[in-house]
Amino acid sequence: MTNVLLVCHANTCRSVMAHVLLEKMLVERGTNGTVRVRSGGIANHARDGMIPSLDARIVLREDDIHLAENAFASTALRRHRQIVAEAHLIVTMTQQQKEMIGTYEEAQGRPILTLHELAGEGGDVDDPFGQGEDRYRATKDEIKRCLELGVDRMLTLLQDRKEISR
């Protein structure tokens, strides 16, 4: 099994949306559980056990993802460095997060890409916190589009990493 780690600031919005959208895409591609998706927050204000944002859960319903309030709890990566160490690929929402996670000893030697880089683009997925449902919807759509563009590249990177580690 290979592990993908999705990273944002608090692990209550962007990385949560990316996490469940990617899991859905992997099921649709028939990866049969060969890829494990994890997510976490890297900011100082990230905490274990925070619930997903209500706006994020609302807009995910449009993609037939019904995430219950207690179905997902945030993870603070600075407290759970083993999750970083277990990752075969790390995908962040912003360049700043890429730089922050890159300073972790446990991330050394692992490919780290922003979500837009995974999609073959530049740019960041900005935080919609406090900006209303429409902004969350636009962010979810941006994440989904980038994942759709990047999922095949991600699977290739993971396969290459798996073969190298043999």
Side-chain angles (χ1 to χ4, degrees):
M1 180 179 290
T2 55
N3 295 301
V4 174
L5 176 60
L6 299 162
V7 177
C8 74
H9 277 355
N11 192 216
T12 59
C13 175
R14 292 171 290 175
S15 58
V16 171
M17 291 191 287
H19 186 140
V20 296
L21 287 165
L22 180 57
E23 283 181 333
K24 183 177 180 181
M25 288 177 192
L26 292 171
V27 167
E28 291 168 353
R29 279 186 162 61
T31 60
N32 299 322
T34 59
V35 178
R36 180 180 186 193
V37 180
R38 306 283 304 267
S39 60
I42 195 163
N44 287 335
H45 62 273
R47 302 284 181 267
D48 287 341
M50 292 189 299
I51 62 174
S53 154
L54 175 60
D55 286 323
R57 288 183 284 127
I58 287 170
V59 299
L60 283 168
R61 291 178 192 158
E62 296 165 2
D63 285 85
D64 204 29
I65 298 172
H66 300 275
L67 189 61
E69 184 177 289
N70 61 354
F72 190 99
S74 66
T75 301
L77 292 174
R78 71 181 178 288
R79 295 188 62 211
H80 301 282
R81 301 282 182 109
Q82 79 281 0
I83 294 171
V84 178
E86 294 167 355
H88 296 95
L89 172 64
I90 301 169
V91 179
T92 67
M93 299 298 126
T94 69
Q95 182 67 34
Q96 179 190 32
Q97 293 159 355
K98 178 181 175 178
E99 292 166 7
M100 290 170 70
I101 197 85
T103 66
Y104 284 26
E105 181 180 324
E106 296 83 358
Q108 301 308 304
R110 284 154 180 70
I112 306 171
L113 301 168
T114 68
L115 184 57
H116 277 281
E117 287 173 338
L118 183 67
E121 306 171 342
D124 290 340
V125 178
D126 293 326
D127 193 349
F129 179 76
Q131 298 178 51
E133 187 178 319
D134 288 341
R135 183 67 205 132
Y136 275 79
R137 181 172 294 105
T139 300
K140 186 254 314 173
D141 291 344
E142 177 182 8
I143 290 168
K144 183 178 178 181
R145 184 187 62 76
C146 287
L147 286 171
E148 287 170 343
L149 289 171
V151 69
D152 290 330
R153 179 178 183 203
M154 179 198 75
L155 292 171
T156 299
L157 284 169
L158 291 173
Q159 184 61 37
D160 291 348
R161 297 278 302 165
K162 190 175 185 180
E163 290 172 8
I164 290 170
S165 65
R166 287 184 184 167

